């Protein structure tokens, strides 16, 4: 990595966590961000925009849009993938919900499973509705926002969490960092913004499996956005909102925040631990799906030529995704049988394949019936062996050492582009999809990054 | 009390807490609310509106209003005590902040010190901007909202709280109950509204002493308002948002919610435990201030005739409010010396007396210097003895058994009217104050209760 920012050293040495993080964000310069970090941010941007566009068509989003209309919401800010426009704050809510509703957004794969983009990207897009921001500044703010959200997730919650939805618990402080950076807040005001965001932190795991799961990143995004806007106008807060005796860490977990949060700030970047799901289903079924896709492609297999499929999988794969006969789209996300059948039938396992109609499709049920499984305790959860017997008697086989999309074997840029096109294809015409993708890839060179959101609206200005 | 609602029995018997509370709110009829409860609700309404009008002039509110303007907020909903109008949701934020910024709103004096009106009243006022609601329905919703917020505060947090600002932690569910009642939600949707509010619950005690303390009731008010609006449009949530394994109670406190929350629903009303502060300073100094005011009035004492003042007070009084030489308005709230000096000089201890200029006034400093104190460990914190020696040699003395404003010796309706007039006098002309007070007192007979908010705007429609 390149040289670290000089200004962060003083912030780190013995300083408080809230202030240390704030000082880092305030002092960070775009030139200090290594090229590979900026590149990863563009990948993360593409993934999140794609998830928002696809997610925007979900009934969860319809319900939230209807409620905001009841409240009189109007404005100029883009709701990604839809025709409505709201004020920036309300657009932020919807875009945050859309980002998460397919369970397909990026995961930071360290000590927690935080999805950092959902809370931090929508406020930046909303802010740019009325303020001209260059692509560089936008990308910089996005990177810093993810940095803050993830460092806090790992250093406040780590592996032990009484039941908080981590994305909600620390994502808002990330959002405040991002908007605060665009606003040019000084350290005092950034500290205040972090505190105002911290006191709004929430999100209960009890909500998993309901619309409230994707509501949390949306509301959290608004919390952080509002926090920074308030701080800019002199609204004050506690000095030690994160590490104080009655601050975020102690009150939410009963443990102090780890000083590790400030370690190697500006040298190690959290976004480098983002992983992107290639398939819209349980992560433990990804290795088997990956193997099936590899064989399908290598041997030009069509489903009429398949006599049998055998999967050798890790124990968690069958424990978490062993549903033999899924009856709904949601259940089919937890069926490695259905995942492999979809892969063989369609060559993908995109979100639309996990709608109810696919779960009850007789052709897929017949294909599913050809799939047998065995568990091998020596396999890790991103490993699998897939064997396909063809009707002509041939047997083809592959072993997946690290499923595509894992940290060791990440989705390539081309994979992400494919995922993006798949995510957008129902909402946007092909030429708009290609334009939107090009704008994201070209983000650093945009004089005005608001064009990204505009290109992701159905009725673009 | 009058007959209890019949419908609540089935909700209570073995039912879940979230559903039990929701079913009670849905089934409650205005006729089931006893007259003394409705009367207390009017008292609470008057106190809260007065606090909002006075609080609206605080710099905390100025900062928040400026931030909302930056975000493009506009609309028809009244910001109490001010000239701006915002959409109902943003007006709710400001009114919630205003309610709390003087630390002068009602306290429910049971196991917690929740201030229930701040989160629940502003959404009701906001909602009525666009929806005609009778005074009876408004008052009914207000009573139910306080019921839910307070029962949860006592039964989830009780006496042991890791550091949550209780008003924020349960006030939003109360707000959802109030708006949900006006929307006519059924039990399923009311359960969802409570869950959506629960997953937004927050508020850290670390924020006490900063602008964020009064921000919490404002944001909480919005959380509950949004929750009910979403639920009305079919947004779903967990069935057991409060009592589930990863629900509000377990995640925020590590303890299960107490089933007591559902006890005597519809028979005992939480609002009956609301107390109203007569003086805008630490509650432990109220007995001494009360005694000083009594002597001043009984003996027509003017300050030029005072040779000395002696206070016999409880231990907490000096521990919490023993600041001998306050330098700022905020410090003077924690000085029983200044409180007694203000009472003797002005005959009141209103919020304006706790501005910085009074803290440094030489005349008050001279009066303060005449005050001596002794602690008597046998005195309770709402007890005091006040002895004044006059320049003519006379000695007058009184013993306060329960300070005015305590549950045993509550402020009378006339006292509350006086408090209200004092709170409003800087913001509103006298005739508007009297009209506003009359509307509140007459609330049950109003065909359209939105007139209350309109009468509390500076530039009323």
């Amino acid at each position: 990595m390149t040289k670290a920012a000089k200004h962060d050293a003083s912030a780190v040495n013995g300083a408080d966590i809230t202030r240390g993080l704030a000082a880092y964000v305030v002092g960070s310069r775009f030139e200090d961000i290594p090229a590979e970090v900026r590149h990863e941010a563009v990948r993360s941007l593409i993934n999140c925009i794609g998830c928002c566009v696809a997610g925007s068509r979900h009934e969860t989003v319809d319900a939230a849009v209807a409620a905001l209309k009841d409240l009189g919401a109007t404005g100029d800010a883009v709701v990604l993938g839809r025709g409505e426009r709201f004020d920036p704050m309300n657009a932020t809510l919807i875009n945050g919900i859309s980002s998460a509703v397919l369970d397909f957004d990026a995961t930071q794969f360290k000590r927690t499973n935080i999805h950092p983009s959902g809370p931090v990207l929508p406020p930046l897009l909303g802010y740019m509705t009325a303020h001209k921001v260059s692509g560089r500044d936008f990308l910089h703010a996005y990177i810093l926002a993810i940095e803050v959200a993830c460092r806090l997730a790992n250093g406040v919650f780590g592996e032990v969490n009484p039941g908080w939805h981590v994305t909600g618990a620390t994502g808002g402080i990330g959002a405040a960092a991002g908007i605060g950076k665009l606003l040019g807040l000084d350290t005092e005001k950034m500290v205040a913004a972090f505190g105002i965001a911290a006191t709004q932190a929430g999100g209960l795991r009890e909500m998993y499996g309901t619309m409230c799961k994707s509501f949390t990143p949306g509301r959290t995004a608004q919390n952080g956005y509002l926090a920074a806007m308030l701080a800019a106008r002199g609204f004050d807060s506690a000095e030690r909102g994160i590490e104080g005796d009655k601050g975020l860490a102690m009150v939410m977990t009963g443990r102090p925040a780890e000083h590790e949060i400030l370690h190697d700030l500006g040298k190690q970047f959290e976004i480098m631990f983002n992983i992107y799901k290639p398939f819209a289903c349980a992560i433990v079924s990804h290795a088997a799906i990956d193997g099936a896709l590899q064989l399908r492609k290598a041997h030009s297999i069509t489903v009429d030529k398949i006599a049998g499929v055998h999967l050798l999988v890790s124990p968690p794969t069958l424990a978490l995704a062993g549903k033999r006969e899924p009856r709904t789209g949601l259940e089919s996300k937890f069926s490695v049988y259905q995942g492999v059948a979809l892969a063989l039938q369609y060559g993908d396992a995109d979100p639309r394949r996990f709608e109810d109609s696919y779960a009850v499709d007789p052709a897929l049920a017949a294909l599913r019936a050809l799939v047998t499984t065995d568990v091998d305790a020596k396999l890790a959860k991103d490993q699998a062996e897939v064997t396909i017997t063809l009707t002509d008697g041939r047997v083809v086989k592959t072993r997946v050492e690290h499923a595509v999309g894992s940290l060791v074997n990440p989705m390539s840029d081309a994979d992400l582009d494919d995922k993006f096109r798949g995510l957008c294809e129902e909402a946007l015409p092909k030429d708009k999809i290609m334009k939107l993708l090009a704008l994201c890839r070209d983000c650093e060179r945009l004089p005005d990054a608001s064009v990204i959101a505009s290109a992701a609206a159905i009725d673009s200005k």
Side-chain angles (χ1 to χ4, degrees), chain A:
Chain A
M1 298 221 176
T2 68
K3 67 188 157 65
K6 289 194 198 81
H7 38 77
D8 65 323
S10 64
V12 174
N13 290 335
D16 291 349
I17 289 169
T18 308
R19 183 165 297 271
L21 273 182
Y24 167 68
V25 170
V26 170
S28 172
R29 298 171 307 170
F30 185 77
E31 310 85 82
D32 301 329
I33 311 289
E36 68 267 32
V37 173
R38 292 172 353 233
H39 180 70
E40 197 60 39
V42 168
R43 287 163 50 85
S44 186
L45 172 68
I46 288 169
N47 189 72
C48 190
I49 297 271
C51 289
C52 289
V53 169
S56 72
R57 308 170 75 75
H58 196 276
E59 59 177 342
T60 302
V61 178
D62 291 338
V65 164
L68 294 188
K69 286 182 178 171
D70 290 342
L71 283 163
T74 58
D76 296 321
V78 169
V79 177
L80 303 175
R82 296 181 66 105
E84 295 91 356
R85 303 246 172 169
F86 290 141
D87 60 281
M89 192 56 82
N90 278 316
T92 291
L93 177 66
I94 301 299
N95 293 333
I97 294 173
S98 294
S99 78
V101 74
L102 300 175
D103 283 317
F104 211 27
D105 47 339
T107 307
Q108 208 232 17
F109 215 61
K110 281 176 85 174
R111 296 168 66 194
T112 76
N113 293 320
I114 185 173
H115 305 290
S117 282
V120 313
L121 180 61
L124 298 174
L125 300 180
Y127 180 85
M128 294 190 293
T129 308
H131 302 89
K132 186 173 171 179
V133 175
S134 73
R136 283 165 61 108
D137 289 346
F138 159 61
L139 206 66
H140 190 197
Y142 180 48
I143 291 165
L144 294 173
I146 288 179
E147 192 68 23
V148 168
C150 291
R151 281 180 178 262
L152 291 174
N154 289 300
V156 169
F157 293 93
E159 294 79 8
V160 185
N161 178 336
W164 294 104
H165 184 168
V166 172
T167 301
T170 70
I173 306 176
I179 295 291
K181 184 69 179 175
L182 292 187
L183 286 164
L185 298 187
D186 62 21
T187 301
E188 289 307 316
K189 287 184 172 172
M190 192 70 80
V191 166
F194 288 8
I196 304 168
T199 201
Q200 297 173 80
L204 303 171
R205 288 198 182 169
E206 188 71 20
M207 303 300 150
Y208 286 13
T210 79
M211 292 182 178
C212 276
K213 186 179 179 204
S214 42
F215 172 71
T216 292
R219 190 60 169 164
T220 301
Q222 291 185 302
N223 291 342
Y225 190 174
L226 180 60
M229 297 299 288
L230 285 167
R233 285 297 187 167
F235 209 91
D236 69 20
S237 183
E239 286 285 303
R240 293 157 57 86
I242 294 159
E243 71 278 16
D245 288 346
K246 300 290 180 191
L248 182 86
M250 284 303 294
V251 174
M252 288 191 122
T253 73
R255 308 186 303 273
E258 298 174 13
H259 210 265
E260 184 73 14
I261 290 168
L262 300 180
H263 184 68
D264 269 351
L265 262 175
K267 293 180 193 127
Q268 288 220 328
F269 287 86
E270 296 293 310
I271 200 170
M272 301 310 287
F273 295 87
N274 254 6
I275 64 167
Y276 312 95
K277 274 187 178 180
F279 315 123
C281 56
I283 194 93
V284 288
S285 59
H286 283 209
I289 295 171
D290 186 0
L293 287 173
Q294 287 181 32
L295 292 177
R296 182 182 189 269
K297 190 172 179 188
H299 305 284
S300 303
I301 297 171
T302 52
V303 292
D304 57 307
K305 293 181 191 145
I306 296 175
V309 181
H310 184 70
L311 310 177
L312 195 63
V313 295
S314 72
T317 302
L318 281 203
L320 299 172
K323 213 168 271 293
R324 185 79 244 194
E325 288 302 326
R327 293 159 304 172
T328 66
L330 186 59
E331 285 189 0
S332 72
K333 286 180 179 245
F334 302 95
S335 169
V336 69
Y337 304 97
Q338 178 75 355
V340 166
L342 288 167
L344 293 171
Q345 177 83 51
Y346 299 106
D348 66 57
D350 290 346
R352 64 192 151 151
R353 309 295 182 202
F354 296 93
E355 289 172 8
D356 291 348
S357 59
Y358 291 85
V360 297
D361 178 339
L364 285 166
L367 198 48
R368 237 166 30 217
L370 299 178
V371 181
T372 56
T373 51
D374 276 306
V375 167
D376 180 348
K378 292 192 299 291
L379 291 175
K381 61 188 177 184
D382 65 342
Q383 293 182 315
E385 258 182 43
V386 182
T387 309
I388 298 180
T389 306
L390 299 169
T391 49
D392 62 9
R394 278 188 301 153
V395 175
V396 295
K397 183 173 172 179
T398 190
R399 182 180 170 93
V400 176
E401 291 297 338
H402 293 287
V404 60
S406 62
L407 263 184
V408 179
N409 182 23
M411 289 179 77
S412 68
D413 285 5
D415 291 339
L416 276 173
D417 287 356
D418 281 346
K419 177 179 176 182
F420 181 83
R421 282 188 289 264
L423 284 167
C424 294
E425 74 182 6
E426 271 194 57
L428 301 175
K430 197 162 187 175
D431 60 327
K432 287 195 71 168
I433 295 172
M434 298 314 295
K435 180 186 163 198
L436 176 56
L437 182 56
L439 289 171
C440 291
R441 284 257 169 248
D442 210 35
C443 180
E444 275 192 38
R445 280 162 294 279
L446 297 175
D448 176 355
S450 72
V451 294
I452 294 173
S454 299
I458 282 193
D459 178 28
S460 183
K461 278 198 270 204

